């Protein structure tokens, strides 16, 4: 029989020398010597009976016998005692029972010194079955209590007898937690089971991954190491496959004559007398393995209690293996999670460049599967090629990557192992690279390295393959299924890292382009040195009384633009120059002028007109406003339409303007404020540089509020709120909210102040307004949209009705 090496697993209790008589000689009865101090093992319970009968004991109804210094009490049943000795007589079974019950120490010593462990266990099994039967038959509380006492006492006695098995179980438990190889753990369990029933040998069969075959597991004879040898067994034709199919244990004495097993043991069964075969089941009920125990012709047959012992071991062992496997799986997963967390922190916290991320990915991948080297090829979709600029050149023992300057390697997308993986999306685990036709030897030729084993896996992002990671030459053996599973999880993080690295590179390049563009725009959008020098050379007037009038319009007739100088005067008149740098103020004013686009209406003239109206409002009652409020309102009026494109917010949203993507509400107003801040941030333009940090934040917040208030979508609700406060006579100048509400209304009033200008000026203003409106309407028609009547030059005849509706509103 092709089985494991026969091992004698009988574990007998150590022999104990027989007790000696007190007088130094063996006790004698009727001239017959007593049994030898070293007695032979008993084979069954009849031996005890025959030995006691051979003494022919006889005593009166009740007597105390001095036998070898041991007091023994004998009661009744016709035995006669003469001079302290029991004389032979007719000894009945009742007498022997009474004698043993009254002298338990004699029975205990006799059993310990003369009976084999297997026999005692057999008796113990009978006692257990008898107690179970008594428990079922007993209905009274007293009976239940009595049987419970018997079980407790019996369990303690059995535990002491099985102390060697307890030690084996403790050792097996430690082995289960030390070893994460299921086959090795099951082998250790089988050894314990075979030892527990004194089997002469055992065979262990493991279920393969398909669940259709059993794998014969056998330890080599020359070493203590365990190895796997696959032996395919047809289902149902041998003992083990029958047990695997039915999941029922078998205890056999004649294997060849049983039609259920045409092939018997599936191997040479010469010399085997009995077979005990049991399945090992997982807690879910699925088959895990099959244990086959056997005894040779010289050994006794397996009994029922042997089967119960094996079942007990295997049930416990299956649960222990299951939960130990869960423990090892969770431990392994925790280590993988810790590893992936370290990967995430390292990669995503330090994305400097694509090359840096690639190097980190290769380093971590190399450590994850204990590979000697790693390569990462990226997919070039434009040329349908795989390319790599960086390789982990290693040092032969799997050390960290060493970067060197080397030429970029490129090859077609359908060539080599990496090309196959990139094209098919399948993972490849190659045990011998040079025996695989898909292996591209050109890489080895270019790098001077010898590839033996390969693990290659695609990297996905959004369902597309962006690269291939290739692990080369596992340090100990070949890449296994566990490496594939761990690496598959790792590949997800690789994809995210590479994707973010690409985005980072794009953002970094875009940022550099933005900086260059901003530098160019800043140069062209700033006032020139000659403009600055010319305005600085002019003296700011001390008095310009006409500017305080709402109807002031002289700035419209001047061929020379005096508006910057007028702006400086209004600023000086309102706030003075002691807290402001005049050079910064001049540059700021000229640059604001330059950042108003040359559109028909929302241009520099309109910006100055609104700031003039705000100046007139503040001058009308300067005490109503704090210095910071007045400063914020005036600067906001001057800058409220910076970089206006001559189009309203609705047009920006409908045309999908980039500004609308940045600002979802009050699109142009947010842009105007952003332009204001940009000018303030330019060198030599910060007119608030002497303000404290707190005042600076307050002024900027007020400027933003006032500019956003020029959005007509906000005007109507603001107007309704203010009207309600006034009508209810609850408006308070001390309320910050009420003051801000009034500032918002004033900003809109100043923005629409052209309507209070002289009639001829207002007519000119309306013409340029509609010129700008019609330009927007024309562009909307080009884009395939129908403009509103007010912006459609083909519907100019409807303007009177629109004006009446607007006035009523």
């Amino acid at each position: 029989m092709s089985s494991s090496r026969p091992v004698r697993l009988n574990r007998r209790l150590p022999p104990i020398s027989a007790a000696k008589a007190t007088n130094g000689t063996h006790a004698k009865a009727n001239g017959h010597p007593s049994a030898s101090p070293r007695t032979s093992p008993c084979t069954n319970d009849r031996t005890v009976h025959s030995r006691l009968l051979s003494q022919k004991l006889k005593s009166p109804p009740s007597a105390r016998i001095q036998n070898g210094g041991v007091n023994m009490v004998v009661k009744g049943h016709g035995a006669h005692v003469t001079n302290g000795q029991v004389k032979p007589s007719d000894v009945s079974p009742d007498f022997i029972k009474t004698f043993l019950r009254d002298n338990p120490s004699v029975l205990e010593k006799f059993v310990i010194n003369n009976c084999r462990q297997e026999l005692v266990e057999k008796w113990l099994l009978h006692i257990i079955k008898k107690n179970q039967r008594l428990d079922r038959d007993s209905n009274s509380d007293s009976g239940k209590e009595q049987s419970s006492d018997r079980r407790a006492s019996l369990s303690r006695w059995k535990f002491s007898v099985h102390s060697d098995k307890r030690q084996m179980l403790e050792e097996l438990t430690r082995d289960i937690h030390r070893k994460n190889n299921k086959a090795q753990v099951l082998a250790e369990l089988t050894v314990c089971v075979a030892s527990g029933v004194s089997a002469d040998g055992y065979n262990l069969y493991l279920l393969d991954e398909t669940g259709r075959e059993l794998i014969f597991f056998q330890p080599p004879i020359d070493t203590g190491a365990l190895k796997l040898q696959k032996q395919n067994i047809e289902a149902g034709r041998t003992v083990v496959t029958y047990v695997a199919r039915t999941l029922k244990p078998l205890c056999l004495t004649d294997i060849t004559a049983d039609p259920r097993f045409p092939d018997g043991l599936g191997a040479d069964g010469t010399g085997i007398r009995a077979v005990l075969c049991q399945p090992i089941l997982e807690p879910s009920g699925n088959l895990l393995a099959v244990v086959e125990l056997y005894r040779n012709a010289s050994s006794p047959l397996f009994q029922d209690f042997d089967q119960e012992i094996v079942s007990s071991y295997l049930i416990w062992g299956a649960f222990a293996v299951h939960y130990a496997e869960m423990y090892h799986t969770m431990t392994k997963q925790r280590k993988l999670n810790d590893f992936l967390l370290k990967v995430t922190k390292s990669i995503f916290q330090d994305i400097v460049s694509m090359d840096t991320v690639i190097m980190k990915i290769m380093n971590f991948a190399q450590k994850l599967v204990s590979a000697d080297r790693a390569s990462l090829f990226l997919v070039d979709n434009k040329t349908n090629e795989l390319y790599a600029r960086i390789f982990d050149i290693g040092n032969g023992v799997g050390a960290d990557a060493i970067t060197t300057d080397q030429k970029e390697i490129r090859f077609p997308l359908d060539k080599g192992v990496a090309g196959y993986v990139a094209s098919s999306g399948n993972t490849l685990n190659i045990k011998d690279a040079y025996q695989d036709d898909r292996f591209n030897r050109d890489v080895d030729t270019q790098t001077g390295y010898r590839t033996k084993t390969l693990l290659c896996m695609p990297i996905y992002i959004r369902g597309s393959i962006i690269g291939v990671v290739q692990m080369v030459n596992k340090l100990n053996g070949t890449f296994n299924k566990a490496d594939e599973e761990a690496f598959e999880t790792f590949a997800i993080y690789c994809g995210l890292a590479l994707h973010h690295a690409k985005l980072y590179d794009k953002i970094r390049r875009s940022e550099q382009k933005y900086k260059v563009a901003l530098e160019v725009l800043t140069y062209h959008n700033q006032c020139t040195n000659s403009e600055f020098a010319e305005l600085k050379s002019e003296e700011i007037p001390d008095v310009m009384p006409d500017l305080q009038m709402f109807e002031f319009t002289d700035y419209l007739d001047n061929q020379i633009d005096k508006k910057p100088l007028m702006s400086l005067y209004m600023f000086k008149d309102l706030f003075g120059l002691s807290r402001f740098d005049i050079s910064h103020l001049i540059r700021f004013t000229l640059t604001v002028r330059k950042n108003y686009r040359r559109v028909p209406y929302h241009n520099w003239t309109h910006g100055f007109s609104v700031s003039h109206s705000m100046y007139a409002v503040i001058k009308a009652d300067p005490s109503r406003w704090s210095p910071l409020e007045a400063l914020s309102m005036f600067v906001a009026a001057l800058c409220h339409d910076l970089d206006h494109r001559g189009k309203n917010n609705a047009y920006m949203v409908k045309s999908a303007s980039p500004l609308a993507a940045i600002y979802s509400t009050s699109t142009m107003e947010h842009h105007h404020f952003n332009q204001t801040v940009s000018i303030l941030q330019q060198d030599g333009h910060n007119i608030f540089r002497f303000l404290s940090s707190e005042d600076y934040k307050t002024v900027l917040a007020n400027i933003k509020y006032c500019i956003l208030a020029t959005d007509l979508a906000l005007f109507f609700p603001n107007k309704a709120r203010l009207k309600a406060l006034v009508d209810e006579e609850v408006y308070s100048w001390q309320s910050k909210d009420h003051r801000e509400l009034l500032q918002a209304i004033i900003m809109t009033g100043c923005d629409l102040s052209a309507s209070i200008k002289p009639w001829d000026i207002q007519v000119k203003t309306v013409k340029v307004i509609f010129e700008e409106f019609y330009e927007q309407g024309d562009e909307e028609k080009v884009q395939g949209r129908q403009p509103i009547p007010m912006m459609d030059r083909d519907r100019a005849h409807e303007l009177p009705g629109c004006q009446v509706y607007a006035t009523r509103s």
Side-chain angles (χ1 to χ4, degrees):
M1 175 180 180
S2 177
S3 62
S4 61
R5 177 177 52 182
V7 291
R8 177 61 62 181
L9 300 173
N10 297 5
R11 298 202 178 190
R12 297 185 177 90
L13 295 172
I16 303 176
S17 301
K20 296 183 180 180
T22 56
N23 57 5
T25 60
H26 300 304
K28 296 181 180 180
N30 295 330
H32 297 284
S34 65
S36 172
R38 187 174 299 276
T39 59
S40 60
C42 75
T43 57
N44 52 53
D45 52 353
R46 294 182 180 179
T47 305
V48 180
H49 191 190
S50 62
R51 289 182 181 274
L52 291 175
L53 289 176
S54 65
Q55 296 182 17
K56 305 291 185 179
L57 296 177
K58 210 172 189 184
S59 68
S62 180
R64 182 172 298 277
I65 305 172
Q66 185 73 20
N67 183 15
V70 179
N71 291 326
M72 297 182 293
V73 179
V74 182
K75 298 181 179 179
H77 302 289
H80 301 283
V81 180
T82 305
N83 295 327
Q85 294 184 347
V86 178
K87 293 184 177 182
S89 181
D90 293 334
V91 181
S92 66
D94 292 337
F95 167 77
I96 296 175
K97 291 180 182 178
T98 302
F99 175 79
L100 294 177
R101 184 177 62 249
D102 296 339
N103 301 276
S105 60
V106 175
L107 177 60
E108 179 181 356
K109 288 185 178 181
F110 182 83
V111 170
I112 292 175
N113 295 334
N114 297 276
C115 297
R116 290 191 302 122
Q117 178 180 339
E118 290 79 2
L119 181 59
V120 176
E121 291 178 352
K122 180 179 178 181
W123 293 344
L124 183 60
L125 182 61
H126 291 323
I127 295 174
I128 293 174
K129 289 183 176 180
K130 184 190 71 171
N131 288 338
Q132 292 175 347
R133 186 170 59 254
L134 291 175
D135 288 343
R136 289 194 298 268
D137 297 339
S138 177
N139 294 322
S140 64
D141 294 340
S142 60
K144 292 180 181 179
E145 184 177 354
Q146 182 181 359
S147 61
S148 177
D149 293 340
R150 282 198 301 268
R151 283 200 306 273
S153 176
L154 190 61
S155 298
R156 288 194 297 269
W157 185 82
K158 183 177 180 181
F159 186 81
S160 63
V161 172
H162 287 222
S163 60
D164 56 338
K165 295 181 177 62
R166 179 187 64 177
Q167 183 178 0
M168 284 190 294
L169 289 177
E170 291 175 351
E171 293 176 356
L172 178 60
T173 302
R174 289 191 293 268
D175 288 339
I176 287 176
H177 284 278
R178 284 198 301 264
K179 301 175 182 177
N180 55 6
N181 187 310
K182 185 189 298 184
Q184 290 180 326
V185 172
L186 291 176
E188 294 286 349
L189 175 62
T190 305
V191 170
C192 288
V193 173
S195 175
V197 297
S198 299
D200 292 323
Y202 68 89
N203 296 318
L204 175 61
Y205 298 88
L206 305 175
L207 193 67
D208 71 347
E209 295 180 355
T210 65
R212 299 176 182 177
E213 293 181 328
L214 293 174
I215 302 174
F216 181 63
F217 186 85
Q218 180 183 23
I221 296 177
D222 54 344
T223 64
L226 297 174
K227 67 179 182 180
L228 284 174
Q229 297 176 346
K230 287 191 175 181
Q231 291 185 2
N232 296 324
I233 303 175
E234 297 182 11
R237 298 186 59 85
T238 61
V239 175
V240 290
T241 53
Y242 178 85
V243 171
R245 181 166 56 85
T246 62
L247 303 181
K248 302 295 184 182
L250 286 177
C251 187
L252 305 171
T253 57
D254 189 358
I255 303 170
T256 58
D258 198 319
R260 294 175 295 177
F261 325 116
D263 295 339
L265 294 177
D268 184 13
T270 305
I272 294 180
R273 180 184 183 188
V275 174
L276 178 56
C277 192
Q278 287 234 16
I280 303 178
L281 302 179
E282 295 178 340
S284 60
N286 297 324
L287 181 67
L288 185 63
V290 179
V291 173
E292 186 179 68
L293 308 173
Y294 62 84
R295 285 179 178 171
N296 297 326
S298 59
S299 301
L301 299 175
F302 288 111
Q303 302 296 329
D304 291 343
F305 66 87
D306 293 320
Q307 189 169 339
E308 292 200 12
I309 292 175
V310 172
S311 297
S312 301
Y313 270 99
L314 295 186
I315 291 174
W316 171 87
F319 273 93
V321 170
H322 174 72
Y323 286 104
E325 188 176 19
M326 288 181 58
Y327 169 77
H328 289 299
T329 301
M330 293 175 64
T331 301
K332 183 178 179 181
Q333 187 63 42
R334 180 176 57 80
K335 292 181 179 178
L336 178 60
N337 291 341
D338 292 341
F339 177 83
L340 293 176
L341 181 60
K342 184 178 179 182
V343 170
T344 304
K345 288 182 178 179
S346 177
I347 292 177
F348 290 95
Q349 288 183 356
D350 189 22
I351 297 181
V352 178
S353 66
M354 176 67 78
D355 291 346
T356 302
V357 172
I358 291 175
M359 185 62 66
K360 288 187 176 183
I361 288 176
M362 291 193 300
N363 283 338
F364 280 114
Q366 181 180 350
K367 296 174 183 178
L368 177 64
V369 296
S370 299
D372 182 46
R373 301 195 179 194
S375 301
L376 192 150
F377 299 95
L378 298 177
V379 177
D380 189 340
N381 293 315
K382 294 182 180 179
T383 62
N384 288 329
E385 290 181 322
L386 286 174
Y387 68 95
R389 297 189 305 270
I390 302 174
F391 284 86
D392 174 13
I393 64 173
N395 59 6
V397 293
D400 290 346
I402 303 174
T403 58
T404 59
D405 296 332
Q406 51 187 316
K407 185 179 179 180
E408 180 180 84
I409 294 179
R410 282 182 172 266
F411 53 89
L413 194 61
D414 58 351
K415 187 175 182 180
V417 173
Y420 171 83
V421 172
S423 302
S424 65
N426 298 326
T427 299
L428 279 184
N429 188 348
I430 301 175
K431 308 300 181 184
D432 189 345
Y434 279 81
Q435 295 299 319
D436 195 301
D437 296 335
R438 293 166 296 192
F439 176 63
N440 180 17
R441 303 185 183 186
D442 294 344
V443 177
D444 276 11
T445 302
Q446 295 183 49
T447 60
Y449 183 74
R450 175 76 178 185
T451 302
K452 298 177 183 177
T453 59
L454 277 173
L455 176 59
C456 195
M457 185 168 292
I459 298 177
Y460 287 90
I461 190 67
R462 295 181 180 177
S464 301
I465 298 176
I466 63 171
V468 174
V469 178
Q470 189 170 270
M471 298 293 101
V472 182
N473 293 351
K474 189 174 178 66
L475 296 178
N476 47 356
T478 59
F479 298 106
N480 53 34
K481 187 67 175 178
D483 294 330
E484 295 181 23
E485 293 175 353
F487 199 71
E488 184 177 1
T489 305
F490 175 72
I492 298 175
Y493 289 84
C494 292
L496 293 174
L498 290 175
H499 179 65
H500 281 82
K502 284 186 175 182
L503 290 179
Y504 177 80
D505 277 352
K506 289 182 179 179
I507 293 173
R508 189 167 54 87
R509 288 194 297 268
S510 298
E511 184 179 356
Q512 298 303 320
K513 292 179 181 179
Y514 168 77
K515 288 182 178 179
V516 173
L518 183 61
E519 182 181 355
V520 173
L521 291 175
T522 300
Y523 173 79
H524 290 286
N525 286 343
Q526 283 185 2
C527 64
T528 63
N529 291 333
S530 59
E531 291 173 335
F532 170 76
E534 181 181 355
L535 183 57
K536 189 174 183 180
S537 64
E538 295 188 38
E539 184 178 356
I540 301 175
D542 293 330
V543 178
M544 296 184 72
D546 295 341
L547 281 177
Q548 297 186 22
M549 301 172 57
F550 281 106
E551 60 273 14
F552 176 76
T553 57
D554 289 351
Y555 58 87
L556 296 175
D557 299 330
N558 294 332
Q559 295 182 351
I560 300 176
D561 186 13
K562 292 294 183 180
K563 291 187 286 295
L565 183 62
M566 295 179 184
S567 299
L568 293 176
Y569 167 79
M570 289 187 292
F571 194 95
K572 175 183 176 183
D573 188 34
L574 289 174
F575 315 113
L577 298 178
S578 60
R579 298 178 61 191
F580 303 96
D581 189 319
I582 185 61
S583 296
H584 283 235
L585 184 59
I586 293 173
R587 286 193 178 93
F588 177 81
T589 304
L590 291 174
T591 301
V592 166
R593 179 184 68 174
K594 200 166 189 177
N595 277 269
Y596 271 97
R597 296 197 180 194
R598 294 182 179 180
V599 294
Y601 177 68
H602 291 92
N603 48 34
W604 164 240
T605 299
H606 171 68
F608 175 82
S609 174
V610 174
S611 66
H612 167 256
S613 298
M614 182 62 71
Y615 167 75
V617 170
I618 297 174
K619 287 291 291 183
D621 193 356
S623 61
R624 290 290 184 182
W625 313 103
S626 69
L628 294 181
E629 287 178 331
L631 179 62
S632 303
M633 293 165 65
F634 180 79
V635 174
L638 185 66
C639 303
H640 81 284
D641 272 337
L642 278 174
D643 198 44
H644 200 292
R645 284 88 187 281
K647 309 294 186 297
N648 59 17
N649 289 334
Y651 176 89
M652 292 295 173
V653 173
K654 291 179 181 179
S655 62
S657 167
L659 285 177
I662 299 174
Y663 311 112
S664 58
T665 60
S666 302
T667 301
M668 292 307 301
E669 287 72 25
H670 276 100
H671 179 59
H672 302 327
F673 172 71
N674 186 57
Q675 287 297 108
T676 304
V677 175
S678 298
I679 295 175
L680 287 170
Q681 290 177 343
Q682 294 179 22
D683 186 32
H685 290 70
N686 189 2
I687 59 176
F688 305 133
R689 59 191 297 242
F690 294 136
L691 297 180
S692 66
S693 175
E694 191 64 29
D695 289 346
Y696 188 90
K697 293 179 182 179
T698 301
V699 168
L700 281 185
N702 288 345
I703 291 176
K704 181 178 182 179
Y705 176 79
C706 290
I707 292 179
L708 293 182
T710 59
D711 184 0
L712 288 178
L714 302 178
F715 166 73
F716 294 103
N718 287 339
K719 174 189 172 185
R721 286 182 55 203
L722 182 61
K723 185 176 185 303
L725 293 175
V726 174
D727 291 344
E728 296 173 8
E729 299 182 355
V730 293
Y731 181 86
S732 173
W733 284 97
Q734 283 69 39
S735 171
K736 182 176 182 294
D737 181 61
H738 292 181
R739 295 171 69 87
E740 288 181 348
L741 181 59
L742 182 58
Q743 291 174 35
I745 297 298
I746 292 176
M747 282 296 299
T748 304
C750 293
D751 194 15
L752 304 177
S753 61
S755 61
I756 65 168
K757 301 298 182 182
W759 176 253
D760 57 333
I761 301 300
Q762 186 176 358
V763 171
K764 294 180 181 179
T765 303
V766 169
K767 288 182 179 180
V768 295
I769 288 177
F770 274 93
E771 181 182 349
E772 189 172 288
F773 283 175
Y774 288 152
E775 286 182 1
Q776 175 177 325
D778 293 342
E779 291 195 21
E780 287 183 301
K781 290 179 180 179
V782 171
Q783 296 174 4
R785 298 195 307 272
Q786 179 61 41
I788 61 177
M790 188 172 61
M791 297 185 178
D792 189 350
R793 65 177 71 249
D794 296 330
R795 302 171 65 180
H797 59 281
E798 299 181 18
L799 283 179
C802 294
Q803 293 296 322
V804 171
Y805 174 79
T807 303
R808 289 178 177 176
S809 298

